[in-house]
Each structure stands twice: as C-alpha cells, then as structure tokens.
Amino acid sequence: MSFLRKILAVTAFLAFSATAIMHTGSAQAADPENTVILTLKDGDVAIELRPDLAPKHVEQIKKLVRDGAYNGVVFHRVIEGFMAQTGDVQYGNADKDYQPGRAGTGGSSYGNLPAEFSKQPFIRGTVGMARSQAPDSANSQFFIMFDEGAFLNGQYTVVGEVVSGMEVVDKIKKGSKSANGSVDNPDRIVKAIVLADRK
C-alpha cells in the first residue's frame, strides 16, 4: 500500500470513528423522560419533546400519554405535503365513543394551555400543538409536519420533533383535499408511551 493510500485509509477510519462517537453520544444523550413513542400500523415513531421550548405543553402531553388517553386516537386530518393531525382524546378515539363528525373539535379534561410560541421553525418532522383561532386554546391535539411550513412559525407552539420513524409518519393515510384533509377510516395511534416507562 502506498503512503498516500495509507493516509487516505487512516483519514477515512478517523472520520468513521468520529461519526460513530457522535451518534453514540447523541443516543446516550436522549432523555427517556421527554421521549414519546407512538406505535402506528407501520411501526414506531419516536418524538423528542422540548420542555425547553414549551414546558406546560410537554407536561400535559406526558400526562395524557401516561393516562393512556392517546391509545386508539385517530389521525383525523391529514394533508399530503403538509401535516398529520391527531390527539382528539374526547371525540377521536376509534376504540371508544368515536364521533367522526366531531373529531378535531375536542380536548381533554386538563383544560387549555397558554401559548408557548418560540422561534423554533416548523420543518419536516416538527411536532406542533393544534389550536383554534384563539392562541391560548391548545389542549391535547397535535400535528406532525410532512414538510416545511414557515407560515406557522411563531403562530403555533412547537412541542417536539420526530427523531426516528418519519418513514412511518409518511405512510399515515391521507385525507381528502376537497374536505380539508378529513380522513375516512383513518389510521390511529395504536399505543403511546413515555420511553422512560417502557419495561
């Protein structure tokens, strides 16, 4: 092996090692208490919650996850190239008292939350809190971005980001464009857990 090839081989090895260390470090740095796993029909989606951006919203989502409130809840509004919305624990649970005509209008018994808007942009994989026209009306519903949506920046609370499983999110059944993303026979969250609770 020539001297130049040896140098290239060593350089490639060092680059690979640095990448492996960075990935290992980031995996160890993940906070299980602020990671939610959504099991969907095509696999798991890991969401890193951001208490640094929206502590009240993160706390409410974790309470609902630990209550089992999101289990069985449908993705009632899914728009190709935009986002998939879910989390209506009142009217959107396909396993109990499902009301398709009202899904998307309900919330939880914990009450609405004051907005926690930030400068964090809405990009592919961002998880934001759904709300009505009133800024302080987010409750249990959230959405996952399929693509960038700068028009949402500073107008909706960013609560987290997908850190693995976006290919699963991409497979969520899409809704009708003419009906603002409303989905017939929608996909659902099979189960949601906080990673720290996984046994």
Side-chain angles (χ1 to χ4, degrees):
M1 181 182 286
S2 72
F3 180 75
L4 179 59
R5 286 188 179 178
K6 284 181 181 177
I7 293 293
L8 290 173
V10 169
T11 304
F13 174 76
L14 290 174
F16 172 80
S17 299
T19 303
I21 288 167
M22 285 191 296
H23 283 300
T24 303
S26 64
Q28 289 175 342
D31 180 4
E33 180 58 30
N34 287 302
T35 302
V36 167
I37 307 297
L38 304 181
T39 298
L40 309 186
K41 72 180 193 312
D42 292 302
D44 287 350
V45 178
I47 296 171
E48 179 186 350
L49 298 176
R50 296 291 304 272
D52 56 317
L53 299 177
K56 293 175 183 175
H57 289 76
V58 166
E59 194 58 36
Q60 183 134 309
I61 282 181
K62 289 196 296 185
K63 283 195 293 187
L64 289 164
V65 168
R66 286 180 161 136
D67 289 347
Y70 288 123
N71 300 344
V73 174
V74 302
F75 287 88
H76 63 273
R77 182 171 175 249
V78 185
I79 300 175
E80 181 83 48
F82 179 27
M83 59 90 224
Q85 184 173 335
T86 185
D88 185 344
V89 301
Q90 185 175 6
Y91 301 122
N93 193 317
D95 297 330
K96 55 183 179 184
D97 302 324
Y98 179 41
Q99 298 182 45
R102 300 183 75 181
T105 65
S108 75
S109 60
Y110 289 125
N112 294 345
L113 294 162
E116 293 179 296
F117 300 154
S118 67
K119 293 182 180 179
Q120 188 73 13
F122 280 85
I123 59 175
R124 175 172 166 79
T126 297
V127 180
M129 294 298 290
R131 63 171 177 82
S132 68
Q133 295 290 341
D136 299 332
S137 59
N139 186 296
S140 64
Q141 295 186 47
F142 61 91
F143 57 91
I144 304 172
M145 300 294 290
F146 289 125
D147 208 341
E148 180 268 346
F151 59 95
L152 301 175
N153 293 349
Q155 307 296 315
Y156 289 78
T157 296
V158 173
V159 75
E161 57 203 12
V162 173
V163 291
S164 70
M166 267 308 293
E167 71 282 359
V168 175
V169 174
D170 288 334
K171 293 177 182 178
I172 295 171
K173 185 178 179 182
K174 309 302 185 292
S176 165
K177 289 184 179 180
S178 61
N180 196 28
S182 178
V183 189
D184 290 328
N185 191 27
D187 288 346
R188 69 188 72 180
I189 298 169
V190 177
K191 187 172 184 176
I193 65 163
V194 175
L195 184 57
D197 300 339
R198 177 175 273 176
K199 296 176 182 178

